[in-house]
């Protein structure tokens, strides 16, 4: 059995992740790729409960360490019960956010030590890394405007603009450090043009 491919989609709030996730799913399915679509934090019953905890802004304040460890606790469940079994069965996995989000939000946004994140990544994932990451990038104000229009903001979306500027910078740094894996897509253009770029990138990894 050939191992499936692991594709992740990343970006700040309001860059069009959901719309483009659907586009990628439809595109891969139209090419008869056996696929599961999932998300982080979440993807299993326990990990979804951790997600609810993490996004609820009415909870007591989280320590930065608790937030980081919960992200990786959810990830560990997700990898064990969903991601690894699917890849081993030859399915492709399309995941809405993964560890690059931890480097961006906990590393960039919360300024947590990168080496701590690296060691948790090693502990939880071993050698597992995405085969391809699509990073949707747009100026922070544009994304935040769209996020606000969606209504009720979660615990992360309530952060200040400067937090998201740091998140964006950390994402772009991750892309610079991993140019083979992470493809940056300008999300501040017509959706049809975003889709064209996504298709071009996906074409290169189709069997
Ligand atoms: P979203 O994917 O629906 O936007 O919500 C998930 C939120 O969780 C988002 O604000 C980013 C945040 N997050 C982290 O801070 N670290 C992580 O590792 C992941 C996967 C998500």
């Amino acid at each position: 059995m050939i191992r499936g491919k692991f594709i992740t989609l990343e970006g700040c709030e309001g860059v069009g992740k959901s719309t483009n996730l659907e586009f990628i799913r439809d595109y891969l399915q139209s090419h008869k790729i056996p696929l599961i679509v999932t998300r982080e934090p979440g993807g299993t019953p326990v990990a979804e409960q951790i997600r609810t905890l993490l996004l609820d802004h009415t909870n007591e304040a989280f320590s930065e360490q608790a937030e980081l460890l919960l992200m990786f606790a959810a990830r560990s469940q997700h990898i064990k019960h969903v991601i690894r079994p699917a890849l081993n069965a030859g399915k492709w996995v399309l995941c809405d956010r993964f560890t690059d989000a931890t480097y961006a939000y906990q590393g960039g946004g919360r300024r947590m030590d990168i080496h701590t994140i690296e060691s948790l990544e090693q502990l939880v994932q071993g050698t597992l890394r995405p085969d391809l990451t699509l990073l949707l990038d747009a100026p922070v104000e544009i994304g935040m405007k769209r996020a606000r229009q969606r209504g009720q903001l979660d615990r992360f979306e309530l952060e200040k603009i400067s937090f998201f500027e740091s998140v964006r910078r950390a994402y772009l740094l991750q892309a610079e450090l991993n140019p083979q894996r992470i493809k940056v897509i300008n999300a501040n253009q017509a959706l049809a043009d975003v889709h064209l770029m996504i298709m071009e990138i996906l074409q290169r990894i189709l069997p």
Side-chain angles (χ1 to χ4, degrees), residues 13 17 40-41 51 55 71 75 96-98 101-102 105-106 154 156:
E13 322 300 312
K17 230 159 25 74
E40 289 213 347
R51 177 190 177 90
L55 297 190
M71 290 294 173
R75 185 161 297 138
D96 184 348
R97 298 194 190 279
F98 195 62
T102 312
Y105 284 77
Q106 282 66 51
D154 66 35
F156 287 98

Side-chain angles (χ1 to χ4, degrees), residues 10-14 17-18 39-42 51 54-55 67-68 71-72 75 96-106 110 150 154-157 163-164 171:
E10 298 280 0
C12 287
E13 322 300 312
K17 230 159 25 74
S18 309
R39 69 170 178 184
E40 289 213 347
R51 177 190 177 90
L54 280 165
L55 297 190
E67 181 179 291
L68 176 69
M71 290 294 173
F72 274 106
R75 185 161 297 138
D96 184 348
R97 298 194 190 279
F98 195 62
T99 308
D100 293 307
T102 312
Y103 282 100
Y105 284 77
Q106 282 66 51
R110 303 268 189 248
R150 286 197 299 241
D154 66 35
R155 199 172 61 83
F156 287 98
E157 289 164 343
F163 175 87
F164 293 106
Y171 263 137

Side-chain angles (χ1 to χ4, degrees), residues 110-125:
R110 303 268 189 248
R111 306 195 179 284
M112 295 204 70
D113 177 33
I114 297 303
H115 301 294
T116 309
I117 300 176
E118 279 171 354
S119 43
L120 289 169
E121 179 181 38
Q122 180 60 34
L123 172 74
V124 167
Q125 295 169 223

